């Protein structure tokens, strides 16, 4: 499932998993939080020596939300943006009159004053507009906008509290852009796949369309 990453002989890569059922050596972590705990653990463990640009991406090369992850990375605009999400599906989280796609807004609101407000400097937004799928490239400088303690506290809270893996993972998914310093309410111009994320001249239009255009999450 992850052997496609071996294509990148000149890019250092690590594989994290919640299970040992893979065909490569992996860093195995407790089965909670979907990709959120894996990403946070990497940031925590490598915070002082993290790469200039880190790509956080799922194990699958293709899925309902991605045409070909290998092609995306091959054509990535490395470091052009501090935070470059790979998907332009702008979803909503809010209360009480906004359709909360993942149903985690209230859980986020409960922890916001302790875990987020001291760092971002504003109260819980009434509406969050976010990209789906938790796949992105992020620079060292952008990661370092938040201190190591922020990432440690968010990781430990999810691992130690009685919150489901699904809810914890999606709670973090809707705030990656906030963690990395962007406005809580993303607008369409915040994301343009072909000018901010990859060089599109070498990829198919199908790939561009799938990553750029909003669709209903699977």
């Amino acid at each position: 499932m992850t052997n496609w990453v071996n294509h990148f002989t000149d890019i250092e890569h690590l594989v994290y998993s919640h299970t040992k059922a893979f065909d490569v050596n992996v860093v195995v972590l407790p089965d909670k939080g979907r990709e959120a705990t894996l990403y946070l653990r990497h940031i925590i463990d490598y915070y002082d020596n993290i790469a200039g640009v880190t790509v956080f991406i799922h194990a699958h090369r293709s899925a309902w939300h991605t045409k070909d992850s290998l092609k995306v990375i091959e054509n990535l605009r490395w470091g052009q943006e501090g935070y470059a999400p790979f998907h332009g599906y702008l979803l909503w989280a809010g209360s009480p009159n906004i359709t909360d796609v993942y149903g985690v807004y209230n859980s986020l609101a409960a922890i916001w004053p302790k875990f987020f407000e001291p760092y971002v400097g504003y109260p819980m937004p009434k509406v969050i507009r976010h990209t789906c799928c938790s796949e992105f490239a992020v620079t060292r400088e952008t990661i370092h906008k938040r201190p190591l303690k922020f990432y440690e506290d968010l990781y430990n809270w999810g691992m130690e509290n009685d919150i489901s893996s699904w809810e914890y993972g999606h709670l973090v998914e809707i705030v990656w852009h906030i963690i990395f310093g962007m406005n809580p309410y993303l607008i369409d111009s915040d994301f343009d796949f072909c000018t901010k994320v990859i060089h599109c001249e070498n990829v198919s239009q199908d790939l561009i369309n799938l990553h750029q255009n909003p669709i209903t999450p699977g």
Side-chain angles (χ1 to χ4, degrees):
M1 190 175 186
T2 59
N3 58 4
W4 63 271
V5 300
N6 294 323
H7 171 85
F8 300 108
T9 57
D10 58 341
I11 301 175
E12 183 179 1
H13 52 271
L14 289 173
V15 177
Y16 292 81
S17 177
H18 294 303
T19 174
K20 294 183 179 180
F22 281 94
D23 54 1
V24 294
N25 293 326
V26 299
V27 178
V28 180
L29 295 175
D31 188 10
K32 188 171 186 181
R34 298 164 62 91
E35 73 281 316
T37 47
L38 309 183
Y39 294 5
L40 288 169
R41 189 72 253 171
H42 180 82
I43 291 172
I44 292 165
D45 289 346
Y46 292 92
Y47 186 85
D48 290 333
N49 300 295
I50 204 155
V53 178
T54 301
V55 172
F56 291 98
I57 200 162
H58 297 170
H60 41 245
R61 179 173 173 176
S62 61
W64 68 267
H65 57 76
T66 183
K67 181 75 172 178
D68 189 339
S69 292
L70 189 153
K71 287 293 185 182
V72 171
I73 296 174
E74 280 185 332
N75 293 280
L76 190 65
R77 294 177 181 267
W78 291 90
Q80 176 176 301
E81 302 291 322
Y83 166 65
F86 290 173
H87 307 285
Y89 322 139
L90 295 180
L91 309 174
W92 304 84
S95 180
N97 298 317
I98 297 295
T99 299
D100 185 356
V101 174
Y102 295 138
V104 297
Y105 179 88
N106 290 336
S107 295
L108 176 61
I111 69 168
W112 186 275
K114 179 178 179 180
F115 289 100
F116 289 91
E117 191 166 344
Y119 298 101
V120 302
Y122 50 81
M124 176 70 184
K126 292 183 178 180
V127 176
I128 294 174
R129 197 176 188 216
H130 58 94
T131 63
C132 95
C133 310
S134 295
E135 295 189 299
F136 50 82
V138 61
T139 64
R140 176 193 301 117
E141 292 75 16
T142 300
I143 290 172
H144 285 172
K145 286 182 178 181
R146 310 297 178 207
L148 175 60
K149 186 177 186 302
F150 168 82
Y151 298 105
E152 290 175 331
D153 287 349
L154 186 58
Y155 177 87
N156 290 334
W157 172 81
M159 297 301 293
E160 296 169 1
N161 281 273
D162 186 21
I163 182 173
S164 72
S165 180
W166 189 95
E167 185 174 5
Y168 178 40
H170 283 98
L171 183 152
V172 177
E173 177 174 326
I174 74 171
V175 294
W176 282 120
H177 65 295
I178 297 174
I179 289 171
F180 297 135
M182 297 192 74
N183 191 299
Y185 184 86
L186 293 176
I187 59 176
D188 292 348
S189 60
D190 288 326
F191 178 88
D192 186 85
F193 193 60
C194 290
T195 62
K196 294 187 174 184
V197 183
I198 76 166
H199 299 276
C200 285
E201 57 268 23
N202 297 320
V203 300
S204 70
Q205 189 61 49
D206 285 346
L207 185 148
I208 295 168
N209 291 342
L210 182 58
H211 284 260
Q212 178 71 59
N213 298 324
I215 62 174
T216 303

